[in-house]
Amino acid sequence: MESIVSLCRRRGFIFQSSEIYSGINGFFDYGPMGVELRRNIKDAWWKDFVQRRDDIVGLDSSIIHHPKTWEASGHVDNFTDPLVDCKVSKQRYRADQLFFAPVVVDGRTAGYVSALESDNVEAELREAAEKLKRKKAIQGELGPVRPREFTEATPEEIRLIPSPATGEPGSLTPPRSFNMMFETQAGALRDGSGLVYLRPETAQGIFINFKNVVDSGRSKIPFGIAQIGKAFRNEINPRNFIFRSREFEQMEIEYFISPDEDWQSRHREWIDTGNSWLESIGIPASALSEYTHPKEKLSHYSKGTVDIMYAFPFGVQELWGFAARGDFDLMQHQKFSGKSMEIFDEASKKKFIPHVIEPSVGVDRILLAVLCSAYAEEEVGGEKRTILKFSPRVAPIKVAVFPLVKNKPELVRLAEELYRKLQRHYNVFFDTSGAVGRRYRRMDEAGTPYCVTFDFDSLEDGSFTLRERDTMEQKRMNEEDLFRLLDETVY
Ligand code: ATP
């Protein structure tokens, strides 16, 4: 992970936001390379889920909605995380990400240990338990160390669990609900009457526009509405680089179906579509898995939720959520607004409020998964080669064009001519400086799939050498071949 973060900074993909002021936790800025990668991911999603489908239309709703939206959706009451404070260090934790275990020696409790959520919480707690036993010079057999969530701790236990910040007990507070919506004021009055929220998800913008879209188009059930846009969550513990941040972007679809339809098979169809789409942008199936939320842990609105998980360097984590939300949201908005959300279905000649399947994913999380899947280090001729093996679909730069030498004007002109032609369609790069091998290496690190070099033979017939990033194979081709190759791989 550290190598990826440092490459991102070095090559202008991602910077900590407000770095010159020591940064602001949970916010990130995308540099010249990052912004291209991000746009390509969003474009690929939009092309595949909106432009190339007949049953999905797009939407771009405002970030701030009428505050009643969030009462209806349940966010005002329920969009909370359990917050724990350490009164000494002033650190804050999410109770469901904080674990503890009693240290039992010869059947007697000798104290408590704590650890933050990680891939090996159990091992960390065990190590801490052994340390405690040594520190207190307790003889005897250490019993099994079983991690428990801080949310399950009794008031008595809370007093005895050490804070992860100080290692000492007595400073942690019981968990309390913390609403993650960012608040602000609309209008000049500061008396609270203008209280509004920055949206914590893009989905509600779709639901409150449901009738507008239906009435202004020809939407026939089943159909979907898609939206890409910023969302804001005041996460207690933003972490793992851009995986969990406070400002991020979502790509969401609400896919409306008849209440009579078998939602399970439609749900499955969407999960399969999600999996193959991820492969099309370079995330291998081997890094993906699925997690079905147990029935008793489902959100109040959900009939079933499955997450596509990705094996990040810091653990297997949620990438893309697929929730079957029934008619919960439209019903709620009907109730709170007093406006009917029913539609008339021509096919069945019935009036109903549709049910919905929601594929919801974060752009930044996909971008991180794309980066992690692409990052590779190789030994070539005794030297380390760092490569980002981006799929050509999402690569920030598609082609780099080089004249072999810069002091041959005819060669530079030929190369520049192709560069200008490519530039009309793709993001491309032109470089004349340094040895060609060094130029290749720089492009490997930026994830550019193709490099084109004009050499002295090019002066004869205009052909050039195309060097492929992953195989490093070189072949001779001409302009027509190159455009065909790009048409096939950048779609
Ligand atoms: P988590 O349990 O990780 O907080 P969630 O289940 O609340 O996430 P959803 O509300 O289902 O997340 O959000 C849908 C998608 O939005 C997630 O699958 C993820 O890709 C993305 N997402 C959610 N929260 C964040 C965040 N803080 N930073 C970046 N992406 C996020």
Side-chain angles (χ1 to χ4, degrees):
M1 198 60 209
E2 255 169 48
S3 322
I4 294 172
V5 174
S6 107
L7 175 68
C8 280
R9 198 180 177 287
R10 193 169 71 243
R11 294 307 311 243
F13 281 91
I14 302 166
F15 311 120
Q16 172 71 54
S17 177
S18 318
E19 206 180 84
I20 59 164
Y21 295 107
S22 325
I24 170 164
N25 197 8
F27 298 90
F28 293 90
D29 296 341
Y30 286 80
M33 296 294 284
V35 73
E36 294 294 337
L37 180 59
R38 201 181 160 82
R39 281 178 56 141
N40 294 342
I41 290 171
K42 290 194 280 181
D43 283 353
W45 188 89
W46 194 264
K47 273 187 197 148
D48 288 344
F49 292 114
V50 184
Q51 186 185 320
R52 291 172 185 160
R53 287 184 68 129
D54 301 327
D55 58 346
I56 300 187
V57 291
L59 177 81
D60 191 359
S61 73
S62 63
I63 285 176
I64 292 177
H65 306 331
H66 191 289
K68 270 210 163 154
T69 308
W70 307 110
E71 283 175 41
S73 67
H75 282 79
V76 171
D77 289 334
N78 300 323
F79 198 59
T80 56
D81 270 342
L83 171 71
V84 176
D85 282 300
C86 166
K87 288 182 283 188
V88 172
S89 67
K90 307 287 176 230
Q91 292 285 335
R92 306 189 122 182
Y93 305 101
R94 249 174 74 173
D96 57 340
Q97 292 175 353
L98 181 57
F99 292 84
F100 74 99
V103 179
V104 181
V105 182
D106 283 345
R108 296 209 357 232
T109 303
Y112 284 81
V113 285
S114 64
L116 291 172
E117 185 183 46
S118 76
D119 250 6
N120 49 2
V121 170
E122 197 163 342
E124 280 178 37
L125 287 173
R126 187 163 183 93
E127 201 178 306
E130 275 159 8
K131 220 161 127 189
L132 186 86
K133 187 173 159 248
R134 277 198 304 276
K135 195 172 145 198
K136 291 194 173 176
I138 307 170
Q139 302 298 319
E141 180 88 6
L142 181 65
V145 177
R146 293 203 185 87
R148 285 168 61 198
E149 247 183 44
F150 193 83
T151 43
E152 302 164 5
T154 63
E156 178 59 21
E157 284 173 325
I158 289 176
R159 280 193 287 278
L160 299 171
I161 298 170
S163 156
T166 62
E168 297 298 325
S171 66
L172 294 177
T173 64
R176 64 191 160 88
S177 289
F178 171 77
N179 194 299
M180 286 193 289
M181 283 197 291
F182 278 98
E183 295 177 358
T184 185
Q185 310 283 325
L189 287 177
R190 283 289 175 268
D191 60 0
S193 60
L195 173 71
V196 288
Y197 304 98
L198 301 188
R199 66 179 175 204
E201 60 174 35
T202 59
Q204 296 305 322
I206 298 180
F207 292 121
I208 59 176
N209 277 291
F210 173 70
K211 263 313 187 71
N212 289 338
V213 174
V214 169
D215 293 346
S216 59
R218 291 181 303 133
S219 320
K220 264 201 338 249
I221 289 284
F223 76 94
I225 306 178
Q227 167 156 244
I228 300 181
K230 289 267 181 165
F232 303 82
R233 294 184 186 180
N234 199 358
E235 298 277 358
I236 296 171
N237 233 342
R239 63 202 178 124
N240 292 330
F241 198 33
I242 54 171
F243 175 80
R244 186 179 300 288
S245 49
R246 289 182 169 141
E247 174 178 339
F248 56 99
E249 205 160 6
Q250 287 187 312
M251 305 194 282
E252 294 195 298
I253 298 168
E254 299 303 333
Y255 197 78
F256 300 98
I257 59 172
S258 156
D260 298 332
E261 193 185 323
D262 162 26
W263 66 267
Q264 269 119 335
S265 54
R266 187 67 77 170
H267 191 215
R268 184 70 246 167
E269 190 181 293
W270 269 108
I271 303 160
D272 294 342
T273 305
N275 274 312
S276 29
W277 187 78
L278 290 170
E279 282 188 67
S280 85
I281 58 161
I283 299 178
S286 57
L288 299 172
S289 53
E290 281 175 25
Y291 171 73
T292 305
H293 290 231
K295 276 223 155 54
E296 63 282 4
K297 283 209 166 174
L298 285 178
S299 322
H300 53 289
Y301 53 73
S302 178
K303 295 162 100 180
T305 301
V306 172
D307 294 335
I308 296 184
M309 313 289 282
Y310 177 78
F312 288 99
F314 45 82
V316 174
Q317 297 277 348
E318 170 180 344
L319 182 60
W320 195 339
F322 297 80
R325 299 175 74 113
D327 57 4
F328 173 80
D329 303 88
L330 289 179
M331 278 290 210
Q332 285 294 99
H333 289 301
Q334 174 167 289
K335 192 165 129 199
F336 277 70
S337 69
K339 309 268 164 31
S340 165
M341 294 291 154
E342 274 188 337
I343 56 164
F344 180 71
D345 179 36
E346 279 293 344
S348 62
K349 305 281 179 225
K350 277 190 190 164
K351 248 180 146 182
F352 53 72
I353 293 186
H355 285 213
V356 74
I357 306 285
E358 178 192 78
S360 164
V361 68
V363 177
D364 314 77
R365 264 193 207 178
I366 291 211
L367 192 140
L368 185 58
V370 163
L371 273 168
C372 294
S373 306
Y375 186 87
E377 288 174 7
E378 287 176 5
E379 277 275 312
V380 178
E383 257 184 64
K384 188 175 97 176
R385 174 169 99 114
T386 306
I387 336 164
L388 286 172
K389 296 183 173 184
F390 290 136
S391 103
R393 275 197 101 179
V394 298
I397 301 171
K398 310 296 182 199
V399 186
V401 183
F402 310 144
L404 186 62
V405 291
K406 64 173 168 195
N407 55 5
K408 189 94 181 142
E410 186 58 7
L411 208 57
V412 176
R413 193 187 55 76
L414 257 186
E416 204 176 338
E417 242 173 54
L418 177 72
Y419 167 66
R420 293 284 168 216
K421 277 187 199 161
L422 288 166
Q423 206 178 34
R424 297 181 57 176
H425 308 275
Y426 304 104
N427 192 44
V428 288
F429 185 71
F430 187 71
D431 190 5
T432 57
S433 60
V436 84
R438 289 249 307 282
R439 284 183 258 171
Y440 287 153
R441 291 287 186 276
R442 279 205 293 267
M443 284 298 109
D444 289 343
E445 236 190 20
T448 306
Y450 310 114
C451 290
V452 157
T453 305
F454 282 78
D455 53 22
F456 295 103
D457 290 344
S458 309
L459 295 172
E460 308 282 314
D461 57 3
S463 69
F464 45 77
T465 300
L466 179 114
R467 183 250 194 197
E468 210 270 336
R469 177 197 60 208
D470 301 348
T471 58
M472 295 192 287
E473 268 170 26
Q474 308 204 359
K475 51 182 162 213
R476 206 72 197 165
M477 59 166 63
N478 61 29
E479 192 181 306
E480 205 178 309
D481 303 326
L482 177 63
F483 272 99
R484 199 175 313 118
L485 174 70
L486 289 171
D487 197 44
E488 279 163 17
T489 55
V490 184
Y491 53 93

